[in-house]
Amino acid sequence: MKYRRLGKSGLKVSELSFGSWVTFNKQVDSKLAEKMFGICFDAGINFFDNAEGYEAGESEVVMGNALKSLNRPRDSYCVSSKVFFGSNKNPTPTQIGLSRKHVTEACHQAMKRLQVDYLDLYFCHRADPETPIGETVWAMHNLVTQGKILYWGTSEWTADEISEAYEFAFENNLTPPTMEQPQYNLLDRKRFEIEYAPIFEKYEMGTTIWSPLASGALTGKYQEGIPEGSRASLKGYEWLKKHMIDSDRGKARMEKVNKFMPIAEELGTNLTKLAIAWCLLNDNVSTVILGASKPEQLKENIESLEVIPLLTEEVQKKLSSI
Ligand code: NDP
């Protein structure tokens, strides 16, 4: 495992990390999570991603229990949470968004559920047009000075919103964001490569990228239908199935997957590993957050590191042309 600096901070994160969206508390319980974290630690993974909104906070409970059982030194790994969507299924207006109140309380609640004294990374899960950006920056800065969070960042903010947060922090001598958590994979490139290009240059922002396999589409396993137990088959994720498969957009993406697959085969690997390895070719990626519902998937995904040297410029051009 190699380690990359999280933007211009001094924090070194493993180039592959592990997240819990959809899986923890739905497909993965604390016992299985413990096994999967064991695989991660053995491979050198040092960052685990979570959010208040995943399974209404229960994903953090599963992660907290599993990490506690493993009893690794707290200074040897990083955990995150994200604030915005709330952890209450029927939230009141003060239980969501990026107000000082919710940002502060969500941090306290996440630390409790994760059974940690501080969060290493804390993200604004989306931008909140109903809270002045300065209020959120101040709230994050205060949490940093209180030692409750170490680095703060954004997730799926526009380049303009991110710039506003940096500029407000600089003008007021507050702690600026360190990282953004955007989607980035072979099928979703535009925001990361085009919209963010100027702010990577200007702020040296780090990134913890999500859905490297586009929720599993880039494994190729949906080409013959929807496998039983897969993400697109889960109750409550019908919207994702539509987005991934049952829409014009989904169909067009699946056609691209069909074209990617033989390129992986020609290289003697598979699309899953190629797709994950491809994300790491971009220097603006600090870490690729893996998702897995089974230990075997996690092991396979970690093996993608071996595929990086196969991705020559010629191969990259072929992929880009699709
Ligand atoms: P992926 O795109 O890699 O999708 C992961 C899913 O694909 C798995 O749960 C599994 O689903 C399937 N899969 C993974 N590996 C394999 C394999 N080798 N063979 C077959 N199927 C496989 O990542 P995620 O979408 O899970 O995103 C990763 C992390 O990023 C999340 O856990 C979360 O921490 C973060 N995230 C952040 C977001 C944000 O807004 N900030 C949004 C989304 C994610 P199954 O077995 O059920 O089919």
Side-chain angles (χ1 to χ4, degrees):
M1 185 67 60
K2 292 201 175 96
Y3 298 83
R4 296 185 179 190
R5 281 176 66 189
L6 186 63
K8 66 174 177 186
S9 81
L11 186 69
K12 298 212 174 69
V13 284
S14 46
E15 54 187 7
L16 295 178
S17 45
F18 183 45
S20 61
W21 179 54
V22 183
T23 54
F24 280 29
N25 197 52
K26 202 164 180 79
Q27 298 161 301
V28 176
D29 61 12
S30 297
K31 210 78 223 129
L32 188 55
E34 203 181 311
K35 187 170 175 190
M36 291 168 104
F37 284 133
I39 294 169
C40 289
F41 282 122
D42 288 349
I45 287 176
N46 73 359
F47 166 46
F48 305 108
D49 186 59
N50 220 319
E52 62 165 356
Y54 296 170
E55 287 287 290
E58 290 302 314
S59 171
E60 291 178 334
V61 172
V62 168
M63 188 175 271
N65 287 339
L67 286 172
K68 191 175 182 198
S69 298
L70 284 167
N71 200 23
R72 296 279 176 145
R74 179 66 184 89
D75 57 359
S76 65
Y77 63 88
C78 302
V79 289
S80 75
S81 182
K82 308 187 202 84
V83 54
F84 178 77
F85 291 107
S87 56
N88 194 309
K89 281 183 184 148
N90 298 302
T92 69
T94 57
Q95 291 176 326
I96 50 172
L98 298 179
S99 66
R100 179 178 296 120
K101 181 170 173 68
H102 186 58
V103 165
T104 307
E105 284 171 345
C107 173
H108 294 162
Q109 290 161 6
M111 288 195 292
K112 204 167 171 196
R113 287 189 293 257
L114 286 162
Q115 304 181 52
V116 294
D117 301 327
Y118 62 94
L119 302 172
D120 300 273
L121 277 64
Y122 192 39
F123 295 89
C124 300
H125 210 157
R126 292 292 180 268
D128 178 1
E130 293 179 5
T131 301
I133 227 154
E135 178 174 337
T136 305
V137 176
W138 262 111
M140 287 294 184
H141 173 79
N142 287 342
L143 290 171
V144 170
T145 57
Q146 290 164 7
K148 291 176 185 163
I149 65 172
L150 303 185
Y151 301 90
W152 79 273
T154 55
S155 179
E156 291 297 339
W157 284 29
T158 64
D160 285 348
E161 289 162 342
I162 295 168
S163 300
E164 220 189 305
Y166 271 98
E167 295 306 323
F168 184 91
F170 293 149
E171 280 160 21
N172 294 279
N173 276 329
L174 303 176
T175 313
T178 294
M179 67 288 172
E180 154 64 45
Q181 184 166 131
Q183 180 170 208
Y184 187 50
N185 59 54
L186 271 169
L187 293 167
D188 300 281
R189 301 175 52 168
K190 197 169 165 191
R191 168 167 272 177
F192 194 95
E193 293 181 13
I194 298 169
E195 184 184 333
Y196 285 169
I199 56 172
F200 283 136
E201 173 96 20
K202 187 165 182 192
Y203 303 117
E204 292 175 65
M205 177 178 82
T207 61
T208 62
I209 63 133
W210 61 267
S211 285
L213 295 174
S215 269
L218 284 165
T219 61
K221 72 180 179 182
Y222 289 100
Q223 297 312 99
E224 307 291 327
I226 300 174
E228 214 186 306
S230 64
R231 184 174 288 185
S233 76
L234 297 180
K235 202 164 171 283
Y237 288 88
E238 292 77 13
W239 62 272
L240 185 72
K241 178 176 163 235
K242 189 166 171 215
H243 189 69
M244 280 175 77
I245 304 155
D246 293 342
S247 59
D248 289 345
R249 175 190 179 270
K251 285 183 189 119
R253 287 158 71 87
M254 288 302 174
E255 272 172 33
K256 289 184 186 171
V257 171
N258 245 340
K259 292 181 185 160
F260 289 141
M261 286 173 72
I263 299 180
E265 275 159 36
E266 266 172 44
L267 295 174
T269 180
N270 62 29
L271 182 55
T272 305
K273 293 186 201 176
L274 178 147
I276 294 170
W278 175 87
C279 297
L280 283 167
L281 298 174
N282 192 316
D283 288 339
N284 291 317
V285 170
S286 314
T287 181
V288 173
I289 313 178
L290 301 175
S293 63
K294 299 182 182 73
E296 300 70 43
Q297 293 178 353
L298 184 57
K299 284 184 195 158
E300 178 178 28
N301 299 354
I302 292 169
E303 283 167 16
S304 61
L305 294 175
E306 295 159 15
V307 174
I308 297 173
L310 307 181
L311 302 181
T312 58
E313 274 186 29
E314 198 193 333
V315 174
Q316 293 176 46
K317 269 190 200 144
K318 266 197 219 169
L319 293 167
S320 289
S321 72
I322 293 166

